[in-house]
């Protein structure tokens, strides 16, 4: 949703809330009064007089009330964000990158750090921002409220509210790395660090910045069928206090979810259309009775069911990363521009739908979503596809067209 469109929606909702609901309340009260009072002629005359005075008819009120609901739905629709990674030696400058994000009609940008230069540049824009605490900073922050306060002062208070920081994500896929003693210590320190940052913010009177942490899908032991979703037993000890924190602070369980990887590992069992969200196939989970039209919903609902299994039905999900590679090695099937364009367009279409569609297990919920990624990053390790997830080439040219506002869909 572009800047002007967001402002129009906000103004519309404000006006409608202030005026239409008042008119609807007046008309409802008047109708009850007219129907229940014995002096029918007097009330009928009053009713007609008032309607003529305000040039409002019953049908007009109904129509305006419908517009109020529509505008409110649009205002609460999911806004699509973009992951801005910088693992490349040929990428545009931060200032140019922010200009490109605005040109693309992105409404939110997720950073993998809390870079001062970028946060300062973002202060002159209407882009909402997610920042991250690096993995190696977690244990120190967990050990000291003073260090947490210092981190918040340097990376948030120095920029907020001019820079519209909305989420602070502590670490990245912490529960996927548990081999070394340091990994295990960071895992234990994750929730205490999140709690200390939350304390720092609330002490400053800041309540509109949510604290979370993104996980990979490997934290879920069983994902198919979705109703069997459960967390790996070896991490439940860490997951429960995390869910307790998220529930208590009304934050989100962030997940990196990539249907591409699930499909590419099982191309004979999962159709490409199902992975691309094309909706040409359905699957019914016999355990829940829910019907699925795409792989993404299955994966997300396996997480919802895993949380519910531990007693946390109220925690909602945010998608920290999702996307599709547009290029890869000869044996990396499905890595092409056509598939990448279809997937990301379908993601935008699904997540910006009005009213929100949610998932079969959580219908109607909004799911904040960040597409991975802004650029192809040539310094990433791994197979060829790892360096080709970008919406843009390093020179800023689009790899394919995607309307991030969702208005084209």
């Amino acid at each position: 949703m572009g800047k002007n469109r967001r402002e129009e929606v906000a103004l519309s909702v404000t006006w409608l809330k202030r005026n239409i609901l008042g008119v609807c309340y007046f008309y409802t009260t008047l109708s009850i009064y007219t129907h229940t009072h014995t002096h029918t002629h007097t009330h009928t005359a009053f009713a007609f007089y008032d309607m003529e005075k305000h040039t409002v008819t019953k049908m007009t009120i109904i129509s305006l009330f419908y517009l109020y609901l529509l505008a409110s739905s649009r205002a609460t629709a999911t806004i699509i964000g973009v992951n801005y990674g910088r693992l490349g030696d040929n990428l545009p400058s931060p200032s140019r990158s922010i200009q490109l994000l605005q040109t693309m009609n992105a409404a939110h940008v997720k950073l993998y750090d809390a870079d001062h230069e970028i946060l300062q540049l973002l202060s002159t824009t209407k882009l909402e921002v997610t920042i991250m605490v690096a993995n190696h900073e977690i244990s120190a922050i967990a050990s000291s409220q003073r260090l947490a306060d210092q981190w918040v002062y340097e990376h948030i208070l120095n920029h907020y509210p001019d820079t519209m920081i909305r989420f602070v994500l502590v670490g990245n896929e912490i529960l996927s790395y548990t081999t070394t003693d340091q990994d295990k210590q960071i895992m234990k320190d994750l929730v205490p660090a999140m709690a200390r940052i939350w304390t720092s913010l609330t002490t400053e009177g800041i309540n509109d910045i949510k604290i979370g942490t993104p996980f990979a899908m490997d934290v879920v032991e069983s994902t198919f069928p979705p109703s069997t979703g459960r967390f790996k037993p070896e991490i439940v000890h860490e997951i429960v206090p995390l869910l307790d924190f998220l529930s208590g602070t009304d934050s989100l369980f962030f997940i990196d979810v990539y249907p591409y990887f699930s499909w590419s590992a099982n191309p004979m069992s999962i159709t490409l259309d199902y992975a691309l969200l094309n909706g040409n196939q359905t699957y019914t989970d016999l355990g829940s009775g829910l019907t699925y039209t795409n792989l993404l919903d299955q994966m997300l609902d396996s997480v919802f069911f895993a949380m519910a299994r531990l007693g946390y039905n109220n925690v909602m999900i945010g998608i920290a990363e999702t996307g599709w590679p547009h290029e890869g090695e000869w044996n990396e099937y499905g890595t092409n521009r056509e598939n990448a364009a279809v997937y990301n367009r379908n993601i935008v279409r699904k997540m910006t739908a009005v009213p929100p569609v949610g998932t079969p297990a959580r219908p109607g919920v909004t799911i904040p979503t960040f597409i991975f990624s802004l650029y192809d990053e040539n310094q990433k390790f791994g197979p060829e596809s790892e360096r080709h997830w970008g919406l843009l080439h390093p020179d800023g040219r689009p790899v394919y067209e995607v309307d991030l506002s969702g208005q084209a869909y």
Side-chain angles (χ1 to χ4, degrees):
M1 190 181 295
K3 172 183 175 183
N4 292 337
R5 177 58 179 152
R6 291 199 301 273
E7 291 174 349
E8 289 171 8
V9 168
L11 290 172
S12 297
V13 171
T14 300
W15 187 92
L16 288 165
K17 284 182 176 178
R18 289 178 180 174
N19 296 279
I20 293 174
L21 291 184
V23 174
C24 290
Y25 172 77
F26 163 78
Y27 181 76
T28 303
T29 305
L30 180 61
S31 298
I32 294 171
Y33 178 77
T34 302
H35 286 294
T36 57
H37 205 283
T38 56
H39 301 290
T40 306
H41 294 293
T42 302
H43 304 314
T44 302
F46 175 72
F48 274 114
Y49 169 77
D50 200 77
M51 288 301 170
E52 290 173 0
K53 177 181 177 181
H54 293 281
T55 64
V56 176
T57 66
K58 182 177 181 180
M59 187 57 69
T60 302
I61 289 177
I62 292 172
S63 299
L64 289 174
F65 187 70
Y66 171 77
L67 289 174
Y68 162 78
L69 293 175
L70 182 63
S72 296
S73 295
R74 167 55 84 177
T76 58
T78 297
I79 292 176
I80 297 292
V82 178
N83 284 278
Y84 175 20
R86 291 177 290 148
L87 292 178
D89 59 11
N90 57 350
L91 302 180
S93 66
S95 60
R96 174 59 178 154
S97 298
I98 291 170
Q99 290 173 356
L100 289 168
L101 283 164
Q102 293 174 299
T103 301
M104 298 165 66
N105 290 324
H108 201 133
V109 58
K110 174 169 160 273
L111 309 178
Y112 286 91
D113 51 24
D115 183 86
H116 289 289
E117 178 189 3
I118 296 176
L119 290 174
Q120 184 60 41
L121 289 168
L122 286 165
S123 68
T124 62
T125 75
K126 296 297 183 182
L127 285 166
E128 296 185 341
V129 183
T130 291
I131 60 176
M132 296 186 74
V133 177
N135 290 7
H136 69 267
E137 298 176 294
I138 290 174
S139 291
I141 290 173
S143 69
S144 167
Q145 188 61 51
R146 180 185 63 81
L147 290 178
D149 293 343
Q150 181 180 338
W151 194 97
V152 167
Y153 177 80
E154 291 179 0
H155 299 288
I156 298 178
L157 300 183
N158 272 340
H159 303 283
Y160 176 88
D162 291 340
T163 301
M164 298 193 300
I165 300 170
R166 294 292 179 259
F167 295 105
V168 178
L169 301 187
V170 181
N172 191 29
E173 300 185 348
I174 293 298
L175 299 187
S176 297
Y177 304 99
T178 59
T179 55
T180 69
D181 289 342
Q182 183 180 21
D183 291 337
K184 294 173 182 176
Q185 186 61 51
I186 292 174
M187 181 173 65
K188 292 177 181 178
D189 291 335
L190 176 59
V191 176
M194 296 169 69
R196 288 201 184 276
I197 291 175
W198 181 82
T199 298
S200 296
L201 290 174
T202 55
T203 300
E204 294 291 336
I206 299 174
N207 299 303
D208 59 350
I209 297 178
K210 299 299 182 182
I211 312 300
T213 185
F215 294 121
M217 281 297 301
D218 63 4
V219 297
V220 183
E221 182 180 53
S222 174
T223 61
F224 182 81
S227 61
T228 66
R230 68 185 75 241
F231 293 110
K232 290 181 176 178
E234 62 267 28
I235 63 170
V236 168
H237 184 71
E238 280 71 35
I239 285 286
V240 169
L242 172 77
L243 291 174
D244 200 49
F245 173 84
L246 297 178
S247 177
T249 59
D250 194 28
S251 193
L252 304 173
F253 188 98
F254 279 97
I255 192 79
D256 297 343
V257 54
Y258 289 100
Y260 164 73
F261 289 123
S262 295
W263 167 79
S264 62
N266 302 279
M268 302 303 294
S269 303
I270 305 171
T271 68
L272 180 59
D273 269 358
Y274 198 67
L276 291 174
L277 283 69
N278 278 333
N280 298 325
Q281 178 187 350
T282 61
Y283 162 76
T284 299
D285 182 337
L286 297 180
S288 65
L290 298 173
T291 297
Y292 292 86
T293 61
N294 64 79
L295 183 57
L296 178 74
D297 280 347
Q298 281 191 205
M299 298 171 76
L300 293 176
D301 275 358
S302 71
V303 179
F304 278 126
F305 278 107
M307 291 192 291
R309 201 174 299 278
L310 295 177
Y312 295 89
N313 293 288
N314 63 325
V315 178
M316 293 296 104
I317 283 178
I319 299 178
E321 291 180 10
T322 193
W324 196 282
H326 63 83
E327 188 176 329
E329 297 174 12
W330 66 270
N331 59 345
E332 293 184 280
Y333 305 114
T335 56
N336 57 61
R337 280 186 294 178
E338 179 182 359
N339 288 343
V342 168
Y343 179 80
N344 282 324
R345 288 169 189 161
N346 283 339
I347 280 288
V348 174
R349 179 183 295 110
K350 173 180 172 62
M351 296 304 178
T352 60
V354 177
V357 296
T359 71
R362 294 292 185 273
V365 302
T366 58
I367 303 175
T369 300
F370 296 92
I371 292 177
F372 185 83
S373 61
L374 181 58
Y375 296 118
D376 284 351
E377 299 172 68
N378 66 1
Q379 293 181 325
K380 294 197 70 176
F381 296 105
E384 185 63 27
S385 61
E386 278 297 303
R387 292 172 284 283
H388 298 285
W389 291 80
L391 297 174
L392 302 178
H393 293 290
D395 60 6
R397 290 181 299 111
V399 177
Y400 46 83
E401 297 296 332
V402 176
D403 176 19
L404 295 177
S405 72
Q407 293 186 24
Y409 313 120

